Amino acid sequence: MTSLEFDPAATAGMSTPSEPVATESGRAGLATWRVFRREPLGIASLVILALLIVVAIAAPLLAPYPASYGSDVLKPPSLQYVFGTDSLGRDVLGEVIWGTQQSLLVAIAASVIAIAFGTLVAVLGAYFKKLDGFISVIVDLTLSLPVLPLMILVAALVGPSTATIIAVVAAFSWPEVTRLVRSQALTIVNLPYVDAARLMTTSPLWIISRHIVPAVTPVIVVSVVVTASRAVLSAAGLAFLGLGDPTTWSWGRILYEAQQSGAMSSAWWLTLFPSIAILLLVLSATLLSIAYNDARNPRNRAR
Amino acid sequence: MRKRSLVIATLAASVALTLSACAPSAPPEASSSAAAAGNDTLTIATTTDVVNYNPLIGNSRSDYWITNLMYPHLMSIDDTGKKTPELATEWGYVDDTTGYYVIRDDMKWSDGEPVTAEDVAWTMNAVKKDAPSGTFYGQLANFDSATAVSDTRVEVKLSKPDSSIIEEIGFWGNVVPKHVFEKAASVAEFPNDGSDGGWVGAGPFTLTKVQVGQSYELDRVEDYPLVDGGTPIPAKVVYRVFPDVNTEILALQSGEVDAIANALPPAQVDQLKNSPGITVEEVTGLGYAHMTYNMQNPDLAKLEVRQALAHAVDYDAIRTVVLQDQAVSTGSSPLMPVLSDYYDDSLTEYEFDTDKARELMEKAGYTADANGNFPVSFRLIYSLQDSVTSQWAQLVKDSAAEAGITIELQGTERNTYLAQTNKGDFDIYAGNFAIMDDPVTNFTLAYLPGGAINYTYVDDPQLNDLIAQGAVTSDQDEKIDIMRQAAKIVHDNVYDNIMYTQNLFFAHSDKWDGFITQPSELLSIVNPESLASAHKVQ
């Protein structure tokens, strides 16, 4: 999806010189929110994401944990089983609801790791010019790797578990973050106020943490969402290939089990509902990041 | 059966009922009424490429299905595990350490050379010498040498008495053309990939065209005496490679292929039986699915703990739900009902009773905590490629939890699983074997110390003695009696927990008829005799 995806770096890069920076974050944040709440797509995405999070947290209240088997095998959706049942007679609705937990956990954990690491590498590269060349090469190299086969390889060698999935997805997502953040940080580093800060302290740590990181935060926010949605897709992809955690419900696992049991050709409900859940999460995350990016760009603020 | 790759392969599988045991194989006569050799192409779906064209080397399902059409076996097998004539017409023992085969004199290799006893003897000796990894070599433990005493008679010298080996070699071993294979320095390294002027076989079809990842085309051999009329009916057999069983089913429904070589998943059987244009054939299972408890684990070395685990499995639920009633209980005995001569109905299945399991755990000296859980945890391994086992592993875990015993599931990709299995890196092993046709051979491999599939790591002197006796006993009734005693020891000590024999279902287009079923996914409806007799419905 990379090439088609909306690329915050491009937008951000072009408009950087006039960007509001950390010093006015309070007012800027408020202004962004004012614009954002007038974007129906953005609000709708936010609501959907919030709903998914509620579903994940409230899973025990919404549906019992899918039993190990049931007597009604491969029943189509009905009033009793709203999403139908799978080849072991388990309720697909319960699987999708409990799968939300795992999918969101992977999304959040993997993107937090990728963002933290990716941002760190990016600002270090932007600030210390000597490191930049080396870091850029590593990032370009990692970005040019065939990610899915490598993920499959690692997951297969280490053995499937939730921690593996998170680590694998994070390990292959950070270069994207680094690239986005670095392009933003490079322009920030050259701004006069950073030069001014250099006069006040010799501590790069202080300058980076107080002046550069806050200035790239908007890009980070956008890439959190984009990375999270990519993590969901990767995790679902790995789970579908049988490299997910076989003991925890995830949307990818529902698809994987449908495929394994040979039920895909006949039981449409097994694939439709988890796919819709994945679509909702990824689409709303992407739309949210676009809406947020538009909203925080002062040029788009019709006052 | 010993070659795990063949065997565990059967995993994906599906099943049938007890009834299937009596489901008749289509009698050969059925096909004679239909057309003689025509111009039709029979297209069959598979899910894997051929990795190895050399039938002497351990191989995958596609390898087996395709090489099996070119390299004959001395014997085939019927629905009760009895060996039936194929290339050999007669076999037996001259004395304790000498066996013999008499072979047909009318078989020819596809290049016109006759199939002779010399080919048979040369193949056996070459396999013994070069030790290709595979089932065939695994059968040759007590084999010393083979000699062609005439064009049609082979005599086999044994290094020690073994009353099973003649039939086991005959069934598991292929015969390859000496004049082609002897050019290779070692049969274990001969790729046989057709690069040297194509393939030379003696089956009903010979491979002619390969498109890796796409299809394998085999052309009819005009003269094949094992089929009625002497000529295989389809002009061509084409194996096409599909990504998985879902796409295979769609291809069958759309008429793109005429049959699916892989067994149907249990949950799909009813649905396909009711699909217009599709016929579902039932094939008797000759293997079993089981769990073994690794006795190197000090907890599992205690009989009561193994018994507790065995009583904490809801076997009925597994067979009803996961296998959709397509599996038969073996009475928790390695002598399955399908081996009707050996089956002993006095052995009954471990009863599902979690209270009893708890009592046994207490008797073994464990005390449950406030939540009713015993301070033990066992790691159960299975292959994720085996969808049926993957499904019941979860049921095993849940029912054991009711008895206060924690089971941690560790499903892994197949190669990892095989590596773990070989290293004994597990507490509980779950898996299955496609064909366990001969009790003595199977017990030797599964229960003798050092046996290739002794996943329990059992070493019971009394059991060892019985198996050794069984191996040298040629009197059938005496042998059956000895093996029953051995099975009772295995059952009573939970050295193995055999859960069911799964009967398999295979789908083909109703435009084709005349298939002849043989047991297991390896033979099913794609065995040479069946494909040679298949014909379009007029």
Side-chain angles (χ1 to χ4, degrees), chain B residues 171-425:
Chain B
F171 173 64
W172 287 103
N174 295 76
V175 177
V176 298
K178 177 187 175 191
H179 60 283
V180 176
F181 278 61
E182 71 181 348
K183 291 177 198 150
S186 155
V187 294
E189 276 148 33
F190 184 48
N192 190 34
D193 55 6
S195 55
D196 184 22
W199 287 270
V200 175
F205 301 93
T206 305
L207 198 57
T208 50
K209 202 165 136 202
V210 170
Q211 286 177 291
V212 175
Q214 304 276 317
S215 65
Y216 296 82
E217 277 187 43
L218 299 106
D219 284 351
R220 167 170 68 205
V221 170
E222 295 303 325
D223 187 11
Y224 182 67
L226 294 180
V227 66
D228 283 341
T231 307
I233 295 167
K236 252 182 205 304
V237 168
V238 178
Y239 270 90
R240 283 194 48 195
V241 183
F242 287 85
D244 69 356
V245 71
N246 297 287
T247 38
E248 288 183 320
I249 291 173
L250 288 174
L252 179 65
Q253 283 170 335
S254 71
E256 232 181 297
V257 299
D258 303 310
I260 300 176
N262 305 80
L264 297 173
Q268 293 308 301
V269 171
D270 272 348
Q271 198 244 334
L272 282 172
K273 273 183 179 165
N274 298 325
S275 290
I278 292 176
T279 307
V280 174
E281 303 274 358
E282 191 169 16
V283 164
T284 311
L286 254 187
Y288 56 67
H290 66 153
M291 287 192 288
T292 63
Y293 306 112
N294 186 340
M295 288 173 61
Q296 291 178 329
N297 177 319
D299 292 314
L300 293 174
K302 297 177 192 164
L303 173 61
E304 288 90 353
V305 176
R306 296 196 302 276
Q307 285 173 328
L309 282 163
H311 283 293
V313 179
D314 191 346
Y315 304 97
D316 273 335
I318 288 174
R319 287 190 296 261
T320 314
V321 178
V322 180
L323 291 143
Q324 296 287 301
D325 288 325
Q326 295 160 10
V328 190
S329 167
T330 70
S332 303
S333 160
L335 300 177
M336 308 157 282
V338 63
L339 302 173
S340 45
D341 291 346
Y342 285 92
Y343 178 61
D344 175 2
D345 61 10
S346 71
L347 295 183
T348 53
E349 184 163 88
Y350 305 122
E351 181 195 0
F352 173 50
D353 182 347
T354 53
D355 292 335
K356 189 163 180 185
R358 280 179 184 281
E359 273 170 37
L360 284 159
M361 287 301 284
E362 279 158 13
K363 209 171 134 199
Y366 299 91
T367 316
D369 65 13
N371 300 322
N373 292 324
F374 294 98
V376 288
S377 172
F378 301 114
R379 186 164 51 89
L380 185 156
I381 63 162
Y382 59 94
S383 160
L384 288 173
Q385 270 76 17
D386 177 354
S387 66
V388 171
T389 307
S390 302
Q391 290 180 338
W392 59 247
Q394 186 68 45
L395 272 65
V396 169
K397 175 188 167 163
D398 293 348
S399 57
E402 281 176 43
I405 303 171
T406 307
I407 289 183
E408 180 204 332
L409 295 184
Q410 191 181 36
T412 52
E413 186 275 327
R414 185 166 157 262
N415 289 317
T416 315
Y417 162 80
L418 291 181
Q420 285 177 326
T421 308
N422 283 335
K423 277 190 295 184
D425 179 13

Side-chain angles (χ1 to χ4, degrees), chain A:
Chain A
M1 62 184 275
T2 334
S3 56
L4 293 176
E5 212 166 66
F6 138 86
D7 185 355
T11 330
M14 284 188 299
S15 56
T16 358
S18 59
E19 296 269 307
V21 286
T23 42
E24 50 167 347
S25 58
R27 278 192 295 126
L30 199 61
T32 303
W33 169 243
R34 280 208 200 99
V35 179
F36 181 84
R37 69 184 181 189
R38 289 201 296 268
E39 302 243 7
L41 272 181
I43 292 294
S45 307
L46 194 64
V47 169
I48 291 174
L49 281 183
L51 263 179
L52 287 174
I53 291 170
V54 168
V55 166
I57 295 171
L61 304 175
L62 295 174
Y65 191 81
S68 48
Y69 66 92
S71 49
D72 298 323
V73 170
L74 287 177
K75 290 279 177 284
S78 62
L79 281 180
Q80 192 189 356
Y81 303 108
V82 182
F83 285 6
T85 63
D86 70 5
S87 56
L88 282 186
R90 295 170 297 201
D91 184 8
V92 178
L93 177 64
E95 296 175 356
V96 172
I97 287 175
W98 284 86
T100 312
Q101 269 192 346
Q102 156 90 354
S103 301
L104 284 182
L105 173 71
V106 171
I108 292 169
S111 61
V112 163
I113 297 172
I115 298 282
F117 186 73
T119 305
L120 181 73
V121 172
V123 294
L124 285 180
Y127 190 81
F128 300 107
K129 299 291 182 215
K130 279 182 193 158
L131 284 178
D132 195 36
F134 175 70
I135 287 175
S136 300
V137 170
I138 298 286
V139 167
D140 287 346
L141 204 69
T142 320
L143 282 175
S144 65
L145 292 175
V147 174
L148 186 63
L150 277 175
M151 282 187 179
I152 293 172
L153 181 70
V154 174
L157 289 178
V158 181
S161 75
T162 305
T164 312
I165 289 279
I166 292 174
V168 166
V169 173
F172 290 101
S173 304
W174 68 267
E176 286 282 333
V177 178
T178 303
R179 198 179 62 170
L180 292 187
V181 174
R182 175 180 164 273
S183 66
Q184 176 83 340
L186 275 179
T187 53
I188 306 278
V189 168
N190 292 326
L191 290 182
Y193 78 92
V194 177
D195 289 336
R198 286 206 181 97
L199 294 175
M200 294 173 66
T201 176
T202 55
S203 162
L205 185 67
W206 195 80
I207 299 176
I208 288 175
S209 61
R210 298 299 294 268
H211 292 291
I212 298 179
V213 171
V216 296
T217 304
V219 181
I220 297 178
V221 171
V222 170
S223 51
V224 166
V225 180
V226 173
T227 312
S229 62
R230 183 172 306 136
V232 170
L233 285 180
S234 303
L238 287 176
F240 177 67
L241 294 172
L243 296 163
D245 185 342
T247 56
T248 313
W249 280 106
S250 69
W251 297 333
R253 178 181 162 194
I254 306 174
L255 295 174
Y256 169 69
E257 295 202 345
Q259 191 235 1
Q260 286 290 296
S261 61
M264 270 183 161
S265 50
S266 52
W268 53 268
W269 56 93
L270 285 180
T271 44
L272 181 69
F273 295 111
S275 303
I276 288 180
I278 294 171
L279 176 75
L280 277 181
L281 178 57
V282 174
L283 189 65
S284 60
T286 310
L287 289 176
L288 180 71
S289 69
I290 292 176
Y292 169 78
N293 203 54
D294 287 350
R296 86 189 165 82
N297 187 342
R299 289 179 186 173
N300 292 346
R301 285 179 198 158
R303 289 184 199 258

